[in-house]
Amino acid sequence: MLAQRISLLSGSGTAAAREAATAAAAIGRQIIDLAAGEVIIEPPSSVREGAIAAINAGTTRYTDSIGLTPLRKAVADKLSAETGICWNTNEIALTAGAKQGLLDAALAVLDPGDEVIIIRPCWPTFPSQVLLAGATPVFVDARSPTYVPDVGAIRAAVTPHTKAIIINSPNNPTGAIYGRATLQAIGDLAINYELWIISDECYSSFVFTGARHESIVMAHPGVRSRTILVNAFSKELAITGWRLGYLAAPPEIVSAAKKLQSHTTSNANVIAQHAILHHLQVGDGRFEREMKERLSFARNAGLFILSGLHDVATPVAKGSFFFYLDLSRLISALPAGSPVRSTDDIARLLLEEADVGSVPGGTFGDVNGLRLSFGAPPDLLALGLKRVVENLNSLKTRRAAA
Ligand code: PLP
């Protein structure tokens, strides 16, 4: 018999969407995958060169469980340059992707009985990790069209058991970016109620509003001692499978991460560590600029196509690389006999009839949403989105099969 904690974990909706697309592709259908949480692009050559050099140099051994000191230092320098705040090596732990950094954070600060505020729609790993730590997720809904949470609603969710709040800006799945005033208000709240802030910033490179990413520690420097900032190279360098991320936090959290990792995974992959160290040493920023330009172009082209939707507002998509559609108006406008009742039905229909993979909002705790990634190759993206628009616009005229 399995331990109870396994029953607390939801299956991964994004993995399910990927598996459905893979199964359809396996029987010869040309699926356009707009479900993936990654940008489909060749990673920078400096990363590949760094990996090859490390392999050729016979690099095989364990590193410190929180990573190579020169890479921790390079990450501290990178974060200092990006935030304008000085970070030291003892505030950085390297992790196997952002996911491990987030789990370290949860295991380091949560006890059974604690509550954690999570803004919904949310990436499903947040509540799963909170549950794994024995704590309870408390959801606060952020609403369309902006999906920026109302700080009053967050305050109303605080109880004497609240220990932490998880924020994710730029956001997966909604593409929301929390502005300075929101971040400051969340920071004030965390200080007033003595909460930890777990800030997942793994889409920080993908901000399309002209401004640069603003971390909560920049908007409200007073929260730094209670913030665990988590980021990764997965999305930024298009190396999701290489598994390298980091947390930046007070040294006591970094020490806790060191203990946790030494008894769970040990160090993040050593070849990936060397590869990224090489990239941080020699990279000239061109890859990052070009990827951002490609995504910016894809976003504009995609928004134009999506503006052809009836009964669905064009999404805001200010950050990350997702279009998040609110389909509530469309679904409520469907005739009584319609075969479509939910966003699950719509995602299934898009896959079966339009050969387009998408992720229904239920994955993110929101029955009204549908997530489409604009990290897909540009030509496929345009084709896929046109099919989405045609398919959704045809829904109102469909009838259930007799
Ligand atoms: N955080 C968010 C919000 C994500 O969307 C993802 C991946 O989709 C992750 C963390 C995981 O990142 P990594 O692959 O670096 O573990």
Side-chain angles (χ1 to χ4, degrees):
M1 202 163 66
L2 295 178
Q4 278 181 8
R5 77 176 63 82
I6 300 302
S7 65
L8 299 174
L9 304 178
S10 58
S12 164
T14 42
R18 196 169 53 229
E19 280 157 23
T22 308
I27 55 166
R29 286 168 49 203
Q30 304 278 317
I31 302 300
I32 299 179
D33 182 6
L34 304 186
E38 54 199 338
V39 181
I40 309 304
I41 189 172
E42 278 284 299
S45 53
S46 48
V47 171
R48 282 179 283 155
E49 284 157 13
I52 291 166
I55 292 169
N56 288 340
T59 307
T60 52
R61 315 262 310 261
Y62 289 125
T63 70
D64 189 290
S65 73
I66 50 170
L68 296 162
T69 304
L71 181 55
R72 290 172 61 209
K73 163 103 179 58
V75 169
D77 292 347
K78 169 177 153 64
L79 200 58
S80 303
E82 286 171 357
T83 58
I85 298 170
C86 178
W87 295 86
N88 295 315
T89 308
N90 69 349
E91 295 171 292
I92 307 293
L94 301 175
T95 58
K99 218 171 233 184
Q100 185 175 38
L102 292 162
L103 184 62
D104 286 348
L107 295 177
V109 303
L110 301 178
D111 283 310
D114 287 342
E115 293 175 1
V116 179
I117 295 177
I118 299 176
I119 316 301
R120 190 168 57 185
C122 63
W123 184 55
T125 294
F126 295 144
S128 292
Q129 292 189 341
V130 167
L131 289 165
L132 273 182
T136 305
V138 173
F139 296 102
V140 171
D141 289 319
R143 306 197 186 281
S144 74
T146 66
Y147 293 103
V148 172
D150 169 28
V151 180
I154 299 179
R155 188 174 298 108
V158 175
T159 75
H161 301 292
T162 310
K163 187 72 165 290
I165 173 164
I166 300 178
I167 59 172
N168 172 218
S169 172
N171 189 271
N172 172 18
T174 65
I177 288 183
Y178 301 176
R180 180 170 298 176
T182 300
L183 294 171
Q184 285 174 340
I186 292 173
D188 283 342
L189 201 129
I191 291 172
N192 290 343
Y193 293 98
E194 299 187 358
L195 309 180
W196 282 99
I197 299 170
I198 300 174
S199 182
D200 179 342
E201 304 184 16
C202 72
Y203 295 92
S204 58
S205 312
F206 310 109
V207 174
F208 301 103
T209 49
R212 291 182 54 197
H213 168 67
E214 186 165 46
S215 168
I216 191 159
V217 294
M218 297 158 74
H220 195 322
V223 299
R224 183 148 167 209
S225 60
R226 57 179 66 254
T227 299
I228 305 172
L229 189 164
V230 177
N231 207 324
F233 295 96
S234 310
K235 319 278 176 178
E236 180 176 323
L237 298 180
I239 47 170
T240 46
W242 290 39
R243 313 309 301 138
L244 198 76
Y246 55 93
L247 62 78
E252 55 170 330
I253 298 290
V254 172
S255 302
K258 182 169 169 137
K259 281 190 195 162
L260 286 163
Q261 292 187 186
S262 80
H263 292 298
T264 51
T265 53
S266 294
N267 56 274
N269 182 293
V270 67
I271 302 300
Q273 290 192 56
H274 279 281
I276 285 154
L277 179 57
H278 182 67
H279 173 74
L280 293 179
Q281 286 165 342
V282 306
D284 57 6
R286 208 173 86 196
F287 171 83
E288 289 86 340
R289 272 195 306 280
E290 286 177 1
M291 169 143 92
K292 177 97 181 281
E293 269 164 33
R294 186 189 112 176
L295 287 172
S296 191
F297 186 80
R299 172 180 177 270
N300 290 339
L303 287 176
F304 179 73
I305 297 171
L306 292 173
S307 69
L309 282 166
H310 307 155
D311 296 306
V312 182
T314 309
V316 288
K318 284 188 172 177
S320 73
F321 41 80
F322 302 114
F323 296 127
Y324 192 68
L325 305 181
D326 173 8
L327 300 183
S328 54
R329 191 152 50 92
L330 174 67
I331 290 176
S332 57
L334 295 177
S338 170
V340 172
R341 299 294 352 141
S342 68
T343 53
D344 281 351
D345 292 341
I346 290 179
R348 197 172 48 247
L349 215 66
L350 286 174
L351 187 62
E352 284 171 2
E353 296 186 357
D355 288 339
V356 173
S358 61
V359 187
T363 300
F364 312 106
D366 167 31
V367 292
N368 296 318
L370 187 80
R371 192 190 79 174
L372 303 162
S373 166
F374 56 94
D379 48 338
L380 292 179
L381 175 67
L383 186 59
L385 291 178
K386 282 180 194 153
R387 290 187 193 168
V388 170
V389 170
E390 270 168 33
N391 202 284
L392 297 192
N393 285 350
S394 74
L395 288 183
K396 278 213 279 198
T397 56
R398 292 188 187 212
R399 291 273 175 271

